[in-house]
């Protein structure tokens, strides 16, 4: 068993004994006993406040640029949504026009057949 362990165990068994008494019992110097006992004490931990440094000019410039780009992205997203609604509306109008056109073609074809009008290969009607 080493001296430090012997001193710690002796102090634990005899808490009221002075460092001089421990030194005599363990055959060590009083200075060494003080060193060993000092290491047994719990260390106080200082609370360190975080230091918040002011932003640098580069960081401030970067922050402003990010805000500008975010605003630009919002603008593009709103524009995109408007354009998509316009496209959907025009697609619906086109679909309705095709249905109307097909309906008219059907009516014209029906009337031509009832009236006996036929189209010749050169495009002339009789």
């Amino acid at each position: 068993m080493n001296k430090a362990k012997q001193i710690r165990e002796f102090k634990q068994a005899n808490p009221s004994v002075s460092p001089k008494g421990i030194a005599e019992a363990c055959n060590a110097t009083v200075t060494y006993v003080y060193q060993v006992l000092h290491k047994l004490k719990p260390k106080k931990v200082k609370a360190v406040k975080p230091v918040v440094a002011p932003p640098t000019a580069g960081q401030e410039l970067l922050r402003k640029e990010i805000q500008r780009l975010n605003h630009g992205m919002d603008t593009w997203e709103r524009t995109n949504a408007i354009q998509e609604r316009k496209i959907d509306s025009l697609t619906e109008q086109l679909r309705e026009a095709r249905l109307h056109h097909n309906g008219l073609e059907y009516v014209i074809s029906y009337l031509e057949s009832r009236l006996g009008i036929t189209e010749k290969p050169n495009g002339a009607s009789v």
Side-chain angles (χ1 to χ4, degrees):
M1 176 180 337
N2 63 16
K3 290 262 186 207
K5 188 174 181 182
Q6 186 180 5
I7 291 169
R8 285 191 297 269
E9 288 177 358
F10 189 83
K11 178 65 177 176
Q12 191 174 16
N14 305 301
S16 61
V17 177
S18 69
K20 185 176 180 181
I22 295 172
E24 290 172 0
C26 295
N27 195 20
T29 63
V30 177
T31 307
Y32 185 67
V33 171
Y34 273 110
Q35 287 175 353
V36 171
L37 293 179
H38 178 71
K39 289 180 183 178
L40 287 177
K41 292 181 182 179
K43 295 180 181 173
K44 294 179 183 177
V45 178
K46 290 185 180 179
V48 178
K49 293 181 182 178
V51 178
V52 179
T56 63
Q59 289 171 333
E60 196 61 32
L61 178 67
L62 184 61
R63 185 186 62 79
K64 287 179 181 177
E65 184 66 11
I66 289 171
Q67 286 177 339
R68 185 186 69 79
L69 291 174
N70 281 339
H71 177 70
M73 285 293 293
D74 292 341
T75 303
W76 280 108
E77 287 172 356
R78 285 192 302 271
T79 304
N80 184 34
I82 291 169
Q83 295 301 325
E84 284 179 353
R85 285 195 299 271
K86 284 182 181 178
I87 289 170
D88 291 342
S89 173
L90 291 172
T91 303
E92 181 62 24
Q93 289 175 12
L94 179 63
R95 188 184 67 74
E96 289 173 3
R98 283 186 181 151
L99 288 175
H100 181 71
H101 177 71
N102 288 339
L104 290 177
E105 276 187 351
Y106 177 75
V107 170
I108 291 169
S109 173
Y110 174 75
L111 290 175
E112 285 177 344
S113 69
R114 295 294 286 170
L115 295 172
I117 302 173
T118 58
E119 193 171 310
K120 293 187 177 180
N122 62 2
S125 298
V126 180

